[in-house]
Amino acid sequence: MPLANGRSYLAIPGPSVVPDAVLRAMHRAAPNIYEGELPDMMPGIVADLKRVARTDHFAAIYMGNGHAAWEAALANTLAAGDRVLLLATGFFAHGWAQVAKARGIEVDTLDFGNGGPVDAGRVTEALRQDKAHQIKAVLAVHVDTSSSNRNAFAPLRAVLDDLEHPALLIADCIAGMGCDRFEMDASGVDVAITASQKGLMCPPGLGFVFFNDRAAAARRAQARVSAYWDWTPRAEPQAFWQYSGGTAPTHHLYGLRAALNMIHAEGMEAIWARHAALARAIWAAVEHWGQSGPMRLNIADPSLRSHAVTAIHIGKPHGTALRRWCEERAGVTLGIGLGLGTEDDPQSEGVFRIGHMGHVNAHMVLGVLGVIEAGLAALAIPHRPGGVAAAAQAIAAA
Ligand SMILES: *Cc1c(COP(=O)(O)O)cnc(C)c1O
């Protein structure tokens, strides 16, 4: 019998759950964009965004999603004909490569597969061969949302510094920022991007680009940057929306203000710790279920797993059946598998993902896991019962 009526729950890895405080902040009459509260709010928003990215440098806001931030990061630092080294650890890195290629950028891809992080040794090898410094930037994804692995950037910065290679280090932090520890300045990242609808708990529609002085110098060296993507005026908190960026995304900015208030009231360290503890509960459940039956976490080594999203193998046709059951019978929407296809399962139908990014607490995670366990039983998918109890133990221990 369907038991889905009641408040539905979106457990996909973005868009994430939007807090009521954010929704309330957006529910208002259209504000004046030229003076008053909204423009006055901008310097504080920019300062608080930089605290999320852990950077003292610059932040530019775009009306756009993560794809817009991808485009913006490239448009300001690279020209057609420039070469980049892409470190691929999943589906999203390849998507970013397509955006780069469409801009005429030459992309050398080092593919590390879907099961783990970048191998700094291979990066060293590739960069060492680039004696002429033709590679202008190294692109890597912090958390690849398809595979749920996590990359560290300090080791990549160390590789570049050891080789005295001048390439910029550009990080896609769209899934991980505000969930998994990321410290832009401390890890030597030159450009970091994110978007509003994951760890930042807002609806999709804002893209953010953080950049340092080296990246600003690369921007100044460009012969031209299209007016919309140019980050120079956008990094001026007071002026940018009125005079250069077009109409401000008014309601999104009110929502973002509320989200940043929540983020800094909790504190970045506490947020990272909360995501880590909730992720451990999810892993405990999946590992328990998987003791008998097909379930398995995509990333074997816990130290390499994201705390924002978890990709789970369950096999075809169970993945699709389980997602359908959870949504139709219990009001929980799980994420589809992405980019983990095999010859037998090209569409990754045997994979599902749980998003646990942003406005997520213990009762939400236990609710999702409880629904999954009910679905496993209802569909007679082989598993060891008791995963929810294992998750509860992990939460009790946190
Ligand atoms: C979600 C996501 C994107 C794409 O963001 P959109 O807002 O859908 O354009 C890119 N990279 C990563 C790592 C993501 O998680």
Side-chain angles (χ1 to χ4, degrees):
M1 141 176 163
L3 298 169
N5 287 342
R7 191 171 188 128
S8 61
Y9 186 76
L10 190 64
I12 71 175
S16 62
V17 174
V18 181
D20 290 342
V22 172
L23 294 172
R24 276 198 302 275
M26 298 179 76
H27 191 103
R28 63 173 66 228
N32 184 0
I33 58 169
Y34 297 105
E35 57 184 22
E37 193 176 49
L38 186 76
D40 291 350
M41 239 160 52
M42 290 316 301
I45 285 181
V46 170
D48 286 347
L49 280 169
K50 292 197 294 190
R51 287 166 68 201
V52 175
R54 291 264 164 115
T55 180
D56 292 331
H57 299 281
F58 307 100
I61 304 177
Y62 294 85
M63 226 166 161
N65 55 18
H67 280 65
W70 271 347
E71 190 98 33
L74 302 172
N76 282 279
T77 53
L78 298 157
D82 282 348
R83 183 168 291 279
V84 300
L85 183 65
L86 176 87
L87 311 180
T89 51
F91 177 85
F92 284 92
H94 295 294
W96 198 7
Q98 280 176 358
V99 172
K101 286 176 191 161
R103 298 190 62 82
I105 294 166
E106 305 288 332
V107 180
D108 293 347
T109 299
L110 281 184
D111 197 337
F112 300 91
N114 295 304
V118 162
D119 169 6
R122 278 179 64 195
V123 181
T124 303
E125 274 321 298
L127 288 173
R128 183 172 285 145
Q129 289 178 13
D130 179 36
K131 298 237 179 333
H133 293 165
Q134 284 181 322
I135 292 170
K136 299 292 179 224
V138 174
L139 275 49
V141 177
H142 176 220
V143 168
D144 201 298
T145 326
S146 61
S147 57
S148 67
N149 61 16
R150 179 164 37 76
N151 281 307
F153 286 88
L156 299 177
R157 167 48 61 201
V159 167
L160 286 162
D161 288 354
D162 287 351
L163 296 171
E164 295 184 13
H165 197 295
L168 294 173
L169 181 56
I170 307 186
D172 170 349
C173 301
I174 296 172
M177 195 178 288
C179 309
D180 278 289
R181 178 179 293 277
F182 175 79
E183 299 173 285
M184 174 170 159
D185 291 355
S187 50
V189 169
D190 298 303
V191 181
I193 61 174
T194 193
S196 53
Q197 78 274 23
K198 298 189 183 182
L200 293 179
M201 310 187 292
C202 290
L206 295 178
F208 307 98
V209 181
F210 302 92
F211 58 97
N212 66 11
D213 293 325
R214 291 185 72 228
R219 157 67 193 91
R220 285 191 298 275
Q222 299 301 312
R224 62 178 65 81
V225 174
S226 59
Y228 187 79
W229 293 124
D230 191 358
W231 66 30
T232 317
R234 286 173 185 274
E236 295 290 332
Q238 239 117 7
F240 69 128
W241 288 111
Q242 292 116 303
Y243 307 118
S244 56
T247 307
T250 50
H251 291 70
H252 272 72
L253 291 170
Y254 276 103
L256 179 64
R257 181 63 272 168
L260 290 167
N261 290 347
M262 292 174 70
I263 286 170
H264 292 305
E266 184 174 358
M268 293 309 299
E269 293 290 341
I271 287 174
W272 291 329
R274 170 167 56 83
H275 280 81
L278 295 174
R280 280 195 292 273
I282 291 168
W283 306 339
V286 177
E287 281 167 349
H288 184 96
W289 290 325
Q291 284 171 29
S292 143
M295 284 182 93
R296 131 181 112 74
L297 294 161
N298 183 53
I299 303 298
D301 180 345
S303 71
L304 305 177
R305 293 178 195 147
S306 166
H307 301 151
V309 52
T310 300
I312 299 159
H313 295 267
I314 191 171
K316 221 167 118 174
H318 300 318
T320 306
L322 182 67
R323 283 192 300 100
R324 293 251 158 79
W325 191 95
C326 290
E327 186 165 74
E328 289 163 14
R329 300 299 187 91
V332 169
T333 305
L334 301 171
I336 59 169
L338 212 56
L340 299 182
T342 57
E343 220 163 278
D344 300 341
D345 179 14
Q347 299 304 316
S348 310
E349 289 167 66
V351 177
F352 71 94
R353 292 174 302 156
I354 303 173
H356 35 102
M357 41 179 59
H359 192 55
V360 180
N361 64 19
H363 103 256
M364 295 153 112
V365 161
L366 287 172
V368 169
L369 296 172
V371 163
I372 292 173
E373 186 147 353
L376 293 170
L379 298 167
I381 297 171
H383 67 287
R384 178 167 177 209
V388 177
Q393 292 290 329
I395 286 188

